[in-house]
Amino acid sequence: MNFSPEIITLGIVWYLAFLFSTVCHEGAHALVAKWGGDLTAFHGGQVSLNPIPHIRRSPFGLVVVPLISYAWGGWMIGWASAPYDPEWQQRYPRRAAWMALAGPATNFILMLLAAIAIRVGIAVHWLHAPESVTFSHIAELANGTTNLATTFLSILFVLNLLLGTFNLLPVPPMDGSTGITVFMSPRTALRFINWSRNGQFALLGLVAAWYGFGYIFWPIFTFAVHLLYFSV
């Protein structure tokens, strides 16, 4: 990548959106766990929007990989985690399920807030609706071909839609594999949780999520963007 001042500025905008979205996701996990009686993440400082405790726990996923992925391909990927007590999950599988769902739910809330901000900006003529709704248009917004505010909101919208959808996949180790147990009886939930903890299943789940996610995400993305720009 040519590290021009524009590319560096765009990278800062990307990183702020990525860091904010990821910290909100993990902070939501930690907060709901605290509400459910597990203080593990609370004592680790994760019940906070302060990024420092989250970076200390996952420096590679929150700093190194995002910067490398941006330099390599112009997009940011990464990860973080909030600790929890496995024994607490065994005692309260339903509470653990709500904890797991809190992260993706937060991403969808951020996506909706970004969408509202975009619609308000269009209504007051601070932003302009595109002439057509295509992925290339969103990609242009997210790659800095307009003002930084529009770019930030576009990144926030797309990134949180992606994070929320990806983490809801019902395969280990995604949040959805625990969240789905909210629909099960406690006994069935415990059986499923103990079964899915097998490391081989986690690896298979990651491979399946990586290769199958595009088939799931693009129809959702297309629908969401057309809904956002319903007048176009």
Side-chain angles (χ1 to χ4, degrees), residues 15 38-39 43-44 63 89 95 97 101 109 120 139 141 157 159 167-168 188-189 195 201 211 224 227 231:
Y15 187 69
D38 180 11
L39 300 180
H43 292 312
V63 179
Q89 184 184 41
R95 297 182 189 181
L101 292 173
I109 290 172
V120 170
L141 291 177
F157 176 82
L159 182 59
N167 280 284
L168 270 185
T188 303
W195 171 80
F201 290 129
Y211 284 99
L227 196 61
S231 61

Side-chain angles (χ1 to χ4, degrees), residues 98-129:
W98 288 117
M99 174 197 70
L101 292 173
T106 299
N107 290 129
F108 288 127
I109 290 172
L110 291 176
M111 179 202 70
L112 289 174
L113 291 176
I116 291 170
I118 290 172
R119 292 305 309 178
V120 170
I122 292 174
V124 299
H125 305 294
W126 291 344
L127 307 177
H128 299 285

